[in-house]
Amino acid sequence: MAKAKKAQGKARPKAKPKRRATAKAGAKPRPASVARVTLQSLKPPVGSHRARRRKGRGPGSGLGKTAGRGGKGQTARSGGSTRPGFEGGQMPLIRRIPKRGFTNPFKQSAQVVNVRQLGTLAEGVEVTPDTLFGAGLVRRPDHPVKLLGMGDVARKFVVKSVAVSASARVKIEQAGGTIEA
């Protein structure tokens, strides 16, 4: 019983359809006017531009006296911000943790191509970094390239100046291809 009353209370009356304005008899239809865009008529959208804050212009402005910088001290001064990672004079985390090893800044990791992707190359084409670049399989022909053994090889390929994994070497040689250093 209570559920039925709740359901009745939530029902909304249907909205009446709005009447369309009809043209008066004998009135000429208006031509569709298109406003011409000129430099003088260009305006930014409403609300897209806010006036800049004028700080330090008296107590009535709300940003007078300290100009929103709070009280005294380092942060109230110009240039008073600290560098990233500064911990207020405490020994910074980056200096507290132990350092080990070496990272080679000149390392070039090999670009990986699987042998299943070699099917996109034309028949009888030598597999070199330039041909792989032309087929869109690597991004840089001047960086090292390595063939990996994922997938199957259906045709013979002659591989030149590309590093080859052991599994890829087996698959290419089983298909009748050769690998030249």
Side-chain angles (χ1 to χ4, degrees):
M1 193 74 123
K3 289 181 181 176
K5 285 183 181 178
K6 284 184 181 177
Q8 288 175 355
K10 289 185 179 178
R12 292 183 179 169
K14 290 185 179 177
K16 294 179 183 176
K18 293 182 179 178
R19 278 206 231 165
R20 291 189 177 178
T22 56
K24 293 181 183 177
K28 292 181 180 177
R30 288 186 188 171
S33 62
V34 178
R36 292 186 66 182
V37 178
T38 61
L39 284 176
Q40 292 80 11
S41 68
L42 291 177
K43 289 182 181 174
V46 177
S48 67
H49 179 74
R50 286 185 177 180
R52 67 181 183 86
R53 292 182 170 186
R54 299 180 69 230
K55 297 183 174 181
R57 294 296 186 274
S61 68
L63 285 171
K65 193 187 168 196
T66 54
R69 288 179 176 262
K72 308 170 193 174
Q74 181 179 8
T75 55
R77 313 286 187 240
S78 67
S81 57
T82 57
R83 67 179 182 277
F86 183 68
E87 297 180 21
Q90 173 177 295
M91 184 59 68
L93 178 69
I94 194 66
R95 290 181 63 191
R96 276 180 275 162
I97 56 176
K99 313 289 188 292
R100 277 185 60 90
F102 168 76
T103 304
N104 183 4
F106 305 108
K107 177 183 178 183
Q108 286 186 349
S109 54
Q111 302 172 90
V112 174
V113 179
N114 286 304
V115 290
R116 68 175 176 208
Q117 295 171 300
L118 296 180
T120 60
L121 296 175
E123 186 75 40
V125 173
E126 289 183 347
V127 179
T128 63
D130 291 323
T131 56
L132 294 173
F133 175 73
L137 297 176
V138 296
R139 289 181 177 220
R140 300 280 305 260
D142 54 338
H143 284 207
V145 179
K146 184 161 187 175
L147 274 177
L148 301 183
M150 185 177 284
D152 295 322
V153 181
R155 297 179 280 172
K156 294 183 196 177
F157 288 105
V158 178
V159 180
K160 287 185 177 179
S161 64
V162 174
V164 182
S165 69
S167 59
R169 181 179 295 273
V170 169
K171 289 182 180 182
I172 290 169
E173 289 174 350
Q174 281 180 351
T178 58
I179 297 166
E180 300 172 13

